[in-house]
Amino acid sequence: MVQPNGPSKQGASEPSGLTPLTPAQLDQGASRCLALQASAQDLHLKRPFVAILLAPDNETQLMSSLSLSHVRHAECELARNAADNYSWDYLAGCTMVSTWEPCAMCAGTIYWAHIGRLVYIASEKTLQQLTGQGNSENLTLDLPCRQIFDAGQSKVEVIGPLTEGWEEKVAEDSRRYWSKHG
């Protein structure tokens, strides 16, 4: 069973229209992301960053995205595609699940797409430890996504990093990529 780490709400009020996530739904979302991250590396030779979008029922997967490049991150691509394909109100009830904590660019795109909840499995701090200082493949910002969302007018619920060993599983799978791109 997955448990969130840290506060789960941002700002003064919880986003409207969100169905609470069960531990089983958190596990299922994390498992889907980890499998997609492995296939991104193995089949598509992509960086180990992926995101999925869950419908308001917290089970139906609406779309997914891989990291396409240094500036076309998985979360940005997914949020943009979601905003192009779903209404503002519908997205407010949706959940994005990401293998890694979104960077400032991705958090901003999630905010502007009006996705109501973000679940990330592993933190940016863990990513920076994994990639190392000054890695040109990933110049990690020390700017938590919660800080970005706190600056906004609408609320994004944030859950992460996940406990129960999920962060370690994502980091271990990512080591396969970063050991070759360090």
Side-chain angles (χ1 to χ4, degrees):
M1 172 180 12
V2 174
Q3 295 295 321
N5 185 8
S8 64
K9 289 197 300 185
Q10 295 301 301
S13 64
E14 189 170 325
S16 61
L18 286 173
T19 303
L21 278 161
T22 67
Q25 290 168 330
L26 279 168
D27 277 334
Q28 183 180 42
S31 181
R32 287 179 184 176
C33 273
L34 184 58
L36 185 59
Q37 178 176 281
S39 72
Q41 294 179 82
D42 298 341
L43 302 176
H44 306 292
L45 305 176
K46 297 293 183 186
R47 295 156 34 106
F49 301 99
V50 301
I52 63 172
L53 184 67
L54 299 177
D57 67 5
N58 297 325
E59 294 185 18
T60 304
Q61 184 174 318
L62 300 172
M63 54 179 54
S64 65
S65 186
L66 312 176
S67 177
L68 302 177
S69 73
H70 289 71
V71 296
R72 294 184 66 195
H73 297 178
E75 300 90 348
C76 276
E77 294 298 306
L78 182 64
R80 285 185 189 111
N81 286 332
D84 286 345
N85 288 284
Y86 298 100
S87 74
W88 170 275
D89 290 335
Y90 184 76
L91 287 174
C94 291
T95 299
M96 179 186 288
V97 183
S98 177
T99 49
W100 291 98
E101 181 176 1
C103 70
M105 174 180 69
C106 293
T109 308
I110 292 164
Y111 173 82
W112 288 110
H114 202 59
I115 295 170
R117 179 187 296 126
L118 167 69
V119 174
Y120 66 88
I121 301 172
S123 72
E124 67 175 341
K125 296 286 187 197
T126 299
L127 179 62
Q128 188 171 31
Q129 291 169 0
L130 186 63
T131 61
Q133 185 70 22
N135 184 324
S136 62
E137 275 281 314
N138 191 69
L139 294 171
T140 306
L141 291 169
D142 186 14
L143 186 58
C145 67
R146 283 178 171 88
Q147 191 172 342
I148 304 296
F149 296 133
D150 281 344
Q153 295 180 51
S154 63
K155 306 305 172 205
V156 177
E157 180 182 354
V158 179
I159 299 172
L162 296 184
T163 59
E164 305 296 325
W166 282 109
E167 184 170 34
E168 293 80 10
K169 290 175 187 176
V170 166
E172 183 60 35
D173 183 66
S174 296
R175 277 188 185 87
R176 297 183 302 123
Y177 180 87
W178 295 113
S179 67
K180 299 172 193 165
H181 299 90

